Amino acid sequence: MVRTALVTGATSGIGAATVRALAGAGWQVVATGRRAERLDALTRELPEGQVHTAVFDVTDARARDVAIDALPEAFRGIDLLVNNAGLALGTAPAQEAKPGDWETMIATNVSALVAITRRLLPRLVERRGGIVNLSSVAASYPYTGGNVYGATKAFVRQFSLGLRSDLAGTGVRVTSIEPGMVETEFTTVRTGGDKAASNKLYAGADPMTAQDIAATILWVASLPPHLNINALELMPVSQSFAGFQVARD
Ligand code: NDP
Ligand code: 8X3
């Protein structure tokens, strides 16, 4: 039986790579995001009929409902939800951050993620499906300027564990994927379009790639049904931990 995945944030980075990886493994995929032309290009790359695109802003409740209601019959039975759409905005310390950036991160990374999950849960339960949520190392390790972004990802991690608890006995699997540095458009978005800052961050660092994370998501989704990866933290070898800071007089 062909299985169907719905991947949010499929226009770029980890989401686009996940659509390619799942489709390559024979899954049907609903690919979502705001940039229609990117979704169209992705669809053209893959065998006809394997990908259905749904263009909507995850923070727009009405657009979300319309898109999910409009899924064609062949794509309605979702077996895997990949909650990937998300973003960081800004690197300033909390006392200098823009409140609007905080609101956007919470709306996208938290409120939209829980709404989509709630909406699709009955179908996932019916089909003993799975959920993969994109959290981050920022959920566990605070860093200066990570404030609300890290907090949203901590929410995602804890929500994932809470879902595991609630879904006991349903056969539905839930995984929190917690990557460190992955080279995507993430930093360009975070810096408000500063491509040079993005290039500088990744230069010489040998960061993880979107394909690395997509292969991990595919692996998680392909495990035998009695196995659940609760949480999985990944980093490039080049990235590790630094000590606490001390502010002195
Ligand atoms: P990208 O910026 O490359 O991709 C982000 C995706 O999210 C895009 O497809 C974008 O689509 C989508 N998105 C953002 N806002 C919305 C919205 N309001 N409605 C619909 N879609 C939206 O970043 P990544 O691939 O790196 O990020 C994917 C996920 O992985 C995020 O949740 C991120 O926090 C997480 N992550 C990333 C890490 C990294 O180092 N790159 C590390 C750890 C976690 P569009 O703009 O077309 O709508
Ligand atoms: C993205 C990784 O370290 O930039 O979630 O917060 S980090």
Side-chain angles (χ1 to χ4, degrees):
M1 193 186 79
V2 179
R3 289 181 296 170
T4 303
L6 187 147
V7 180
T8 65
T11 60
S12 171
I14 295 167
T18 300
V19 172
R20 291 188 184 100
L22 289 167
W27 289 68
Q28 290 193 143
V29 188
V30 180
T32 82
R34 289 169 299 185
R35 287 170 287 179
E37 66 292 351
R38 297 268 193 113
L39 294 177
D40 288 346
L42 184 60
T43 308
R44 283 196 298 272
E45 266 180 42
L46 297 165
E48 201 176 332
Q50 203 172 359
V51 177
H52 173 78
T53 64
V55 180
F56 64 96
D57 182 330
V58 291
T59 67
D60 180 337
R62 193 174 142 63
R64 240 173 16 223
D65 283 346
V66 168
I68 292 171
D69 285 344
L71 288 177
E73 194 54 40
F75 288 86
R76 293 184 79 77
I78 307 295
D79 301 285
L80 174 69
L81 168 61
V82 182
N83 274 318
N84 165 77
L87 77 174
L89 292 173
T91 53
Q95 61 275 25
E96 291 162 21
K98 294 183 189 148
D101 285 350
W102 285 5
E103 283 163 22
T104 302
M105 287 189 278
I106 294 167
T108 311
N109 301 356
V110 174
S111 304
L113 182 145
V114 302
I116 292 171
T117 303
R118 178 64 188 85
R119 181 72 207 266
L120 293 178
L121 263 176
R123 299 181 202 192
L124 290 161
V125 169
E126 199 180 303
R127 297 170 76 95
R128 301 176 77 82
I131 301 171
V132 172
N133 290 328
L134 265 293
S135 175
S136 166
V137 290
S140 304
Y141 310 101
Y143 58 86
T144 306
N147 44 68
V148 167
Y149 176 69
T152 65
K153 293 302 177 177
F155 178 97
V156 171
R157 170 203 177 86
Q158 196 63 17
F159 181 56
S160 305
L161 297 175
L163 283 172
R164 283 275 293 130
S165 185
D166 288 359
L167 290 163
T170 63
V172 176
R173 301 192 284 190
V174 187
T175 301
S176 171
I177 299 281
E178 300 167 12
M181 183 187 277
V182 188
E183 185 168 5
T184 62
E185 293 175 13
F186 178 84
T187 301
T188 306
V189 171
R190 183 171 210 168
T191 56
D194 188 344
K195 197 82 185 81
S198 176
N199 291 340
K200 190 174 164 204
L201 178 70
Y202 300 123
D206 201 10
M208 294 187 288
T209 64
Q211 291 74 23
D212 292 331
I213 309 304
T216 304
I217 293 169
L218 176 61
W219 171 72
V220 162
S222 307
L223 287 167
H226 67 284
L227 275 177
N228 192 94
I229 304 294
N230 296 336
L232 187 58
E233 189 177 290
L234 309 90
M235 274 183 168
V237 174
S238 63
Q239 185 180 31
S240 61
F241 315 102
F244 292 114
Q245 56 184 333
V246 178
R248 301 182 196 282
D249 292 337

